[in-house]
Amino acid sequence: MQNLIRVCDGRINDGDLFIFNDPYLAAGQHLPDIYIVRPIFVGGIIEGWATTVGHQNDIGGLVPAAIQSGRSTSSRKACGCRC
């Protein structure tokens, strides 16, 4: 959340929906954890966030279930998306 707020500060609008799973931007989580985040506005000001996370067994990668020993980058483990 801290990274989302930092990266998108001043550009977050009512009705926005953010979907991301980048482990470098999500405080060390891993690629199969997919976040869906929506700001909650009251009177035009962000008052909170509605957030859920889903863990996927397989999100694409070189081998099924993203279990690969000897990989050199996280992009070989699974697909990543940034907000």
Side-chain angles (χ1 to χ4, degrees):
M1 289 301 306
Q2 293 172 350
N3 187 67
L4 171 67
I5 293 167
R6 181 182 58 79
V7 169
C8 299
D9 188 38
R11 298 179 292 138
I12 300 172
N13 299 297
D14 196 6
D16 283 351
L17 184 69
F18 301 92
I19 302 172
F20 55 94
N21 72 332
D22 188 311
Y24 300 103
L25 301 178
Q29 299 302 316
H30 61 158
L31 288 163
D33 290 339
I34 300 173
Y35 294 83
I36 302 173
V37 179
R38 183 172 186 169
I40 299 171
F41 280 81
V42 176
I45 299 170
I46 296 175
E47 292 291 335
W49 299 87
T51 306
T52 189
V53 62
H55 180 82
Q56 306 299 312
N57 288 332
D58 193 352
I59 190 165
L62 294 178
V63 297
I67 301 171
Q68 176 192 4
S69 62
R71 66 183 180 274
S72 57
T73 67
S74 64
S75 64
R76 292 180 173 268
K77 178 180 177 185
C79 298
C81 57
R82 291 185 176 186
C83 67

